[in-house]
Amino acid sequence: MAEKIINIAADFSRTPGGRYRTDGPASGEEFREAVLIPALQENQSIVIILDGTRGYPSSFLEEAFGGLVRRLNLSPAEFAQKIKIKSSSAFNIYVQDIQAYVNQTAHA
């Protein structure tokens, strides 16, 4: 099993949407269920590239990544071991947001 690279803009959507599928297209729930979980089942680790989108709603990030922690019962250390988030400096705030959602969810 190898490392898989997922570029959200190229592999999912340039315009990530809301939290749930019922909120419209390209939701955090859809990304988690259709992209993240299958990638983790098939690969030892994944690299998520945030660049190239028009931005990220907080609800998308919390549902995709906080939801992943809830769904798979991951600790922050396990999350960090399995998932690496990469971005340009312009998108670094999203990396910090994801880490906060992972930590908050794991300690809830």
Side-chain angles (χ1 to χ4, degrees):
M1 298 211 316
E3 183 175 81
K4 178 176 178 72
I5 296 174
I6 299 169
N7 180 316
I8 294 178
D11 300 330
F12 184 67
S13 176
R14 288 199 66 231
T15 54
R19 179 177 296 275
Y20 301 117
R21 283 185 165 107
T22 55
D23 295 333
S27 69
E29 178 185 33
E30 180 184 353
F31 180 69
R32 183 188 69 234
E33 298 296 322
V35 179
L36 284 180
I37 290 175
L40 284 172
Q41 290 171 338
E42 297 170 12
N43 300 276
Q44 202 164 10
S45 64
I46 57 177
V47 175
I48 308 286
I49 299 172
L50 298 178
D51 297 334
T53 68
R54 297 189 184 268
Y56 292 91
S58 58
S59 57
F60 175 93
L61 294 176
E62 199 292 322
E63 189 61 32
F65 297 102
L68 183 71
V69 168
R70 287 188 294 275
R71 186 96 154 27
L72 300 182
N73 198 27
L74 299 173
S75 70
E78 290 169 320
F79 180 91
Q81 186 178 30
K82 294 176 181 288
I83 300 172
K84 293 168 187 55
I85 311 290
K86 295 200 173 189
S87 72
S88 65
S89 59
F91 279 67
N92 275 346
I93 187 68
Y94 298 122
V95 176
Q96 294 169 19
D97 289 347
I98 291 167
Q99 194 58 55
Y101 297 136
V102 167
N103 289 337
Q104 289 168 3
T105 301
H107 296 105

